Amino acid sequence: MFRGRGIVPGRVEGEVLVSRETNPGWGGIDPATGAIIERRHELCGVCFTGKVLVFPGAKGSSGRPGFFQATRLMGTAPLAMVFTHLTTKAALGAIVTRVPTVTHFDDDPVAGIETGDRVEADGDTGLVIVHGRVADLTVARRTT
């Protein structure tokens, strides 16, 4: 479990997509598909739609929030955002996307959560609870 501060309310549970690099915005994501398109980014070509996006912070220009708002309008937004470094770009992007968002953690979620984990992100309480790997949960459900 990771304790932080919620900045956009709401509670969701879903599969995680972790980026060890800051999250791009304007020109670095495709709002129509929810994919990261920045060529030098570690997740280039990967889609964040419907995932809990875990990342260290945001980069880019003041146009970044507009691109994330477009993902909301097009139905390609992440399910939630979890990031370690609060900046105005990251906060505004989360607010206009209107997905549960948690930041300012006691421990680094980027270091402690892996892509494919299933988490509960609670923007009301500031908690992010790791429930295990998606594949492990699927096997557990099949065998019970």
Side-chain angles (χ1 to χ4, degrees):
M1 177 172 30
F2 294 86
R3 293 182 189 276
R5 178 178 144 217
I7 61 169
V8 178
R11 185 177 73 73
V12 297
E13 186 174 325
E15 184 178 350
V16 170
L17 176 62
V18 175
S19 173
R20 306 229 180 279
E21 295 179 26
T22 52
N23 190 263
W26 184 80
I29 65 170
D30 180 357
T33 64
I36 296 173
I37 58 172
E38 182 179 304
R39 293 186 308 167
R40 292 190 175 133
H41 196 278
E42 67 177 318
L43 296 179
C44 183
V46 177
C47 181
F48 53 70
T49 301
K51 307 277 184 179
V52 177
L53 188 55
V54 178
F55 56 100
K59 65 180 175 181
S61 70
S62 59
R64 180 184 191 283
F67 270 68
F68 273 89
Q69 180 183 28
T71 66
R72 177 180 57 83
L73 297 171
M74 295 180 168
T76 60
L79 186 62
M81 292 189 204
V82 172
F83 53 87
T84 53
H85 302 292
L86 180 62
T87 63
T88 55
K89 291 175 202 157
L92 187 54
I95 290 166
V96 299
T97 307
R98 298 183 186 164
V99 297
T101 303
V102 185
T103 188
H104 279 154
F105 293 93
D106 294 338
D107 296 310
D108 184 3
V110 174
I113 300 174
E114 296 181 23
T115 294
D117 283 349
R118 187 155 196 86
V119 301
E120 180 180 329
D122 191 331
D124 297 318
T125 65
L127 294 177
V128 175
I129 302 168
V130 181
H131 292 295
R133 307 248 336 131
V134 171
D136 295 341
L137 293 172
T138 303
V139 171
R141 285 191 194 115
R142 288 185 190 155
T143 60
T144 56

